[in-house]
Amino acid sequence: DAKTTQPPSMDCAEGRAANLPCNHSTISGNEYVYWYRQIHSQGPQYIIHGLKNNETNEMASLIITEDRKSSTLILPHATLRDTAVYYCIVRGLGGANSKLTFGKGITLSVRP
Amino acid sequence: ETGVTQSPTHLIKTRGQQVTLRCSSQSGHNTVSWYQQALGQGPQFIFQYYREEENGRGNFPPRFSGLQFPNYSSELNVNALELDDSALYLCASSLAQGSSSYEQYFGPGTRLTVT
């Protein structure tokens, strides 16, 4: 079963920041937080991951709380092409623990 | 750098038949995972292959089987197809080094319809 909880949907205006929350209260010390997104009927796309420090790349920023029980994915300037289902996943690194367990994700709708 | 590719794109089969789906891993990756995504659901883990051996399996029956080849490409075979096998089948490749396996990159998927 998925170890994360996400609201089912949210929307934001184009050009504004999109802040996508995720709860993972049972995360273990050696588990990472991963974010993927899936645009309609395409394969999921890797966005970013982190262990306990905040991370930033060209796509997004990941903010993880100090207790690691929740995180927020930030798309700094959302565009219409960011409309997708976003999955927050807790994942170990080794062997079978490296599988991705997807929940239902959060549907982000970016409006013009 | 070549991304993950899958073939065919779409496939229609009849209940009871067998099907083989194919995946070519991203260059430099040695691990492949397969997922099934039913309509409106998140992808579900089927199994993972590393160095040509199964390295983890989800809650799928034995009629779902796989292969990984020396060039790290992979096949997913499904026997005795059922209507509920209709789904998008996704392949993801990643690099495993030592005890760590890194981020998975997905192909575009194969849409299987069983009638």
Side-chain angles (χ1 to χ4, degrees):
Chain A
D1 291 344
K3 299 181 181 180
T4 63
T5 304
Q6 301 176 258
S9 63
M10 66 176 292
D11 63 27
C12 75
E14 190 176 20
R16 304 297 294 268
N19 298 295
L20 286 69
C22 180
N23 287 320
H24 31 80
S25 59
T26 60
I27 191 170
S28 300
N30 61 350
E31 289 181 319
Y32 287 70
V33 179
Y34 275 74
W35 284 83
Y36 281 78
R37 73 180 182 184
Q38 189 172 24
I39 297 169
H40 182 63
S41 293
Q42 298 181 19
Q45 178 188 22
Y46 166 77
I47 300 173
I48 198 168
H49 74 280
L51 183 62
K52 53 185 177 182
N53 297 322
N54 299 337
E55 301 288 345
T56 295
N57 63 19
E58 65 279 3
M59 289 184 68
S61 295
L62 174 60
I63 308 298
I64 302 174
T65 58
E66 192 169 343
D67 64 8
R68 302 211 320 126
K69 293 185 177 181
S70 65
S71 61
T72 301
L73 179 74
I74 301 173
L75 307 179
H77 305 287
T79 70
L80 298 179
R81 286 178 293 182
D82 292 323
T83 293
V85 178
Y86 288 76
Y87 296 98
C88 170
I89 299 167
V90 166
R91 173 185 184 240
L93 275 191
N97 293 325
S98 66
K99 70 182 181 188
L100 296 171
T101 301
F102 289 82
K104 294 184 182 294
I106 178 172
T107 299
L108 173 67
S109 300
V110 180
R111 60 181 188 275
Chain B
E1 185 175 270
T2 306
V4 180
T5 60
Q6 293 186 242
S7 62
T9 305
H10 296 86
L11 200 53
I12 300 174
K13 288 287 190 178
T14 303
R15 189 171 49 185
Q17 287 187 314
Q18 178 266 342
V19 69
T20 298
L21 310 181
R22 294 178 173 83
C23 171
S24 291
S25 297
Q26 183 166 313
S27 176
H29 287 181
N30 56 13
T31 301
V32 65
S33 303
W34 285 91
Y35 295 80
Q36 180 197 66
Q37 186 173 24
L39 206 58
Q41 304 295 317
Q44 300 298 306
F45 175 72
I46 303 175
F47 44 55
Q48 181 182 89
Y49 277 80
Y50 170 66
R51 292 187 174 179
E52 303 176 50
E53 292 198 359
E54 190 177 288
N55 182 40
R57 189 178 184 93
N59 189 26
F60 281 82
R63 60 190 185 84
F64 284 78
S65 63
L67 285 172
Q68 186 184 29
F69 299 100
N71 65 354
Y72 304 122
S73 65
S74 176
E75 287 182 354
L76 165 65
N77 298 290
V78 186
N79 293 322
L81 283 167
E82 301 176 359
L83 297 179
D84 286 347
D85 295 333
S86 295
L88 181 67
Y89 287 85
L90 295 159
C91 164
S93 73
S94 58
L95 175 64
Q97 289 181 320
S99 61
S100 296
S101 179
Y102 300 98
E103 51 269 23
Q104 298 183 12
Y105 292 90
F106 284 80
T110 293
R111 173 73 61 187
L112 173 65
T113 302
V114 182
T115 63

